Amino acid sequence: MSTEIGASQKETSRAPTGHQQSDAPAGKARLERIHKLSRPFWASFIIGAVSLLVFAAFLVNALDRQAISSSEQVMGAILDERTDRLSELTLEYAYWDESIDRLVTQFDEDWIDTTFIEYIYSDLGIIGVHVLDGENADRLHIFEDYRADRSSMERYGPDAGRLINRARRTEENEAPIPATGFLGSASDLYLASAIRMTTYDTDKITSTDHVMMFVRKLDEAALTYLSDKFQLPGLQITTEDPSYFQAHWPIRTEDGTILASFVWNPVLQGQRLLPPLALGLIIVYAGMMIAARVFLKQATHMVSALDAAKKRTERAKELLAHQANTDALTNLGNRWSFEQTLDALSAKADGTKEFALVCFDLDRFKTINDTLGHETGDEVLKYVGETLSSLTYPQDKVFRLGGDEFVIVFGLTDRERVLAVAKEAIAILSQRVTLNGHSCHFGASAGIAYSTEPVNLLRRADTALYASKKKGRGQVTVYIPDSTDTSAQRLPATETL
């Protein structure tokens, strides 16, 4: 009995030990199963986080590249606008009879000082004015505000000769075409426009063998101005390659070689979003739902930033287009806009519909500039523009062609109204007026032209205006062609106010 009991006790005492040995593998198996079940979750979690990181990096990079591309488009539009403005200015002075008389036929030093040193350099920012004869020898060399002895070719390098030779390619006795380009070096860079000097009288266009070149310097002050006005942070000229996150625009010489590049640091929305995105990724590791909401919010912000960048580019293009077609002083249409208007009218001309144009020229404007200063002269030009605009209908257009020459193109040709507008304009402009604190008395003369062919309007109006000037101040002359109208010399009767 005692033996059985002892055996039973031994079995009982060994039972717990056997149960513990059987539970240890089971617990380890459960841990392994839990670990295996967690592997897909952690794999999905890591894949999702990595995918989110890659997607965020892609969006940030796309946003930054879009910002860089938009900024480069703005820079291209700015350079086109600056080039066009310099070309128009060079064309105004090279395609002008008085320039031929004062610089080619004779050499009028007083006129040169007044026109170029006192006005072009001080008011228009032209640092260099050069006139070269048929042998490319300097006839006139003005650099900054004095006449220089150093040769133009020597100052600007070999590209100046290539630019001038391109300007000479204008067809003989045809309207000249400006040639523009960059001159100098990366450390001493210029934007230049050259054009063959040409006359345009009432009979014909006559080319000379002289070339006029206007030069603007792209120095630190000019770069700072462009950087501040058009949001191009850190704009500089360099020969080094730009970094991945920098915008750039190549500067090519006349033969196509890249001389240097404009490089700047555009505002990159993607880099601004990096800290929030990094915080979002940290939140993702803490909870997928919170991270997803943060990411969606930042993605929406990215889309808004892309749309805002696109709108800024469109606004910049509209602004540059407006500046290219508008006279900066009077806010009227400029010569380029006037030529576009004549082209549009020519397209509509059918040989029966008559068009009308009135050309105005101030009588004593030079006296105003010489005695009262250019600021008062500018106020006079603004006053003239406002006066002419106040006399026109919405379908009429007023332009300032340059200097003190203004033009009205009438939408509907009513000869009585055209003559009445010209008379009233002369009457108003002949009255004394106080501008810029000065009592100004200048007056104006006008020439009127009618034609079924818009291309003839300016030539005829100029002829009539010349007759008004010849007969005295405050005159209105209407051009009446003869039966052939080949010489454009015959002038009509003049009506005096």
Side-chain angles (χ1 to χ4, degrees):
M1 178 64 98
S2 61
T3 304
E4 291 178 358
I5 293 173
S8 176
Q9 288 177 340
K10 288 180 181 179
E11 291 176 2
T12 302
S13 63
R14 286 195 296 266
T17 304
H19 182 70
Q20 289 174 355
Q21 290 175 352
S22 64
D23 282 348
K28 186 175 181 181
R30 283 195 298 270
L31 290 175
E32 289 179 355
R33 286 196 300 270
I34 293 173
H35 183 67
K36 288 180 179 180
L37 289 174
S38 66
R39 286 177 182 174
F41 170 78
W42 287 111
S44 300
F45 187 82
I46 293 173
I47 291 172
V50 172
S51 300
L52 182 61
L53 179 62
V54 172
F55 183 60
F58 173 78
L59 284 181
V60 167
N61 182 71
L63 180 60
D64 289 345
R65 301 316 302 173
Q66 175 64 28
I68 291 172
S69 177
S70 298
S71 186
E72 289 175 344
Q73 291 177 22
V74 170
M75 185 62 180
I78 292 169
L79 293 177
D80 288 344
E81 185 267 343
R82 298 283 163 175
T83 301
D84 290 343
R85 288 180 62 184
L86 185 58
S87 298
E88 291 172 8
L89 183 62
T90 312
L91 181 64
E92 286 184 12
Y93 282 87
Y95 195 31
W96 183 23
D97 290 346
E98 188 168 356
S99 291
I100 307 300
D101 293 339
R102 308 282 187 168
L103 290 171
V104 179
T105 307
Q106 58 178 321
F107 198 75
D108 190 333
E109 296 187 359
D110 292 337
W111 184 84
I112 291 170
D113 291 341
T114 301
T115 304
F116 295 114
I117 296 180
E118 296 180 9
Y119 179 64
I120 294 293
Y121 171 74
S122 60
D123 289 5
L124 301 182
I126 302 299
I127 196 171
V129 178
H130 310 276
V131 175
L132 299 100
D133 62 17
E135 302 298 327
N136 281 351
D138 285 305
R139 172 85 169 164
L140 174 66
H141 184 172
I142 297 174
F143 189 78
E144 295 183 336
D145 59 348
Y146 63 92
R147 297 186 199 175
D149 296 329
R150 187 179 177 188
S151 147
S152 303
M153 303 298 182
E154 181 183 351
R155 180 178 297 279
Y156 303 116
D159 286 315
R162 300 188 186 102
L163 184 70
I164 291 168
N165 289 335
R166 179 154 62 94
R168 292 188 186 279
R169 295 173 191 165
T170 300
E171 293 294 332
E172 189 75 17
N173 300 329
E174 295 289 341
I177 300 174
T180 58
F182 293 102
L183 305 178
S185 62
S187 59
D188 198 18
L189 188 64
Y190 303 89
L191 179 62
S193 177
I195 187 169
R196 189 173 183 178
M197 298 185 71
T198 308
T199 64
Y200 67 102
D201 55 26
T202 56
D203 291 327
K204 62 181 180 179
I205 296 174
T206 305
S207 302
T208 71
D209 63 349
H210 285 54
V211 172
M212 176 177 286
M213 182 170 69
F214 282 2
V215 179
R216 280 198 172 115
K217 187 170 185 179
L218 294 173
D219 54 12
E220 185 175 351
L223 295 179
T224 301
Y225 171 78
L226 294 176
S227 175
D228 295 340
K229 184 174 182 179
F230 297 101
Q231 298 182 2
L232 306 171
L235 180 63
Q236 61 177 321
I237 299 172
T238 180
T239 55
E240 298 180 359
D241 294 334
S243 68
Y244 183 76
F245 292 105
Q246 284 184 314
H248 75 287
W249 191 270
I251 302 171
R252 298 183 183 274
T253 59
E254 198 58 25
D255 61 359
T257 303
I258 296 179
L259 177 66
S261 297
F262 293 105
V263 175
W264 65 98
N265 304 304
V267 177
L268 301 178
Q269 296 293 337
Q271 291 189 2
R272 290 185 174 184
L273 292 175
L274 281 177
L277 286 177
L279 179 61
L281 291 176
I282 293 174
I283 295 175
V284 166
Y285 284 98
M288 288 293 293
M289 294 300 296
I290 298 176
R293 293 179 63 182
V294 172
F295 174 75
L296 289 175
K297 181 178 180 180
Q298 298 303 327
T300 302
H301 184 63
M302 291 181 187
V303 173
S304 299
L306 284 170
D307 184 59
K310 181 179 179 181
K311 290 180 179 178
R312 285 197 302 270
T313 302
E314 292 174 351
R315 286 197 297 269
K317 289 182 178 179
E318 292 174 358
L319 175 62
L320 293 174
H322 174 75
Q323 292 176 345
N325 289 278
T326 305
D327 177 59
L329 179 63
T330 62
N331 207 31
L332 300 175
N334 57 17
R335 180 176 287 274
W336 174 253
S337 178
F338 169 72
E339 292 176 354
Q340 288 181 317
T341 300
L342 286 189
D343 290 342
L345 293 179
S346 297
K348 298 179 181 178
D350 56 7
T352 60
K353 181 180 178 181
E354 188 177 58
F355 302 92
L357 181 147
V358 180
C359 188
F360 295 90
D361 191 85
L362 303 187
D363 288 332
R364 290 178 290 270
F365 180 67
K366 186 177 184 302
T367 303
I368 295 291
N369 271 337
D370 292 344
T371 58
L372 303 181
H374 288 288
E375 291 184 358
T376 303
D378 290 345
E379 293 301 319
V380 168
L381 294 176
K382 292 178 184 178
Y383 172 74
V384 173
E386 293 170 357
T387 299
L388 297 182
S389 297
S390 68
L391 300 176
T392 58
Y393 289 170
Q395 63 267 26
D396 306 329
K397 293 185 179 180
V398 183
F399 303 89
R400 179 190 173 207
L401 301 188
D404 58 347
E405 185 178 3
F406 294 81
V407 164
I408 300 178
V409 177
F410 289 85
L412 298 176
T413 305
D414 179 347
R415 291 201 174 203
E416 293 183 1
R417 188 178 82 83
V418 172
L419 183 58
V421 169
K423 285 183 175 182
E424 187 173 358
I426 297 300
I428 294 174
L429 298 178
S430 297
Q431 297 175 3
R432 188 174 294 276
V433 63
T434 300
L435 297 171
N436 199 32
H438 297 286
S439 178
C440 302
H441 186 215
F442 43 92
S445 299
I448 302 176
Y450 305 98
S451 178
T452 58
E453 298 179 358
V455 70
N456 294 327
L457 288 174
L458 183 59
R459 173 178 58 82
R460 293 182 174 185
D462 274 340
T463 302
L465 177 61
Y466 175 77
S468 294
K469 287 286 190 179
K470 191 174 181 180
K471 293 178 182 180
R473 296 169 178 162
Q475 301 287 320
V476 177
T477 300
V478 181
Y479 183 96
I480 300 176
D482 58 17
S483 59
T484 59
D485 191 26
T486 57
S487 64
Q489 292 296 321
R490 184 184 172 203
L491 300 179
T494 301
E495 297 189 40
T496 305
L497 296 177

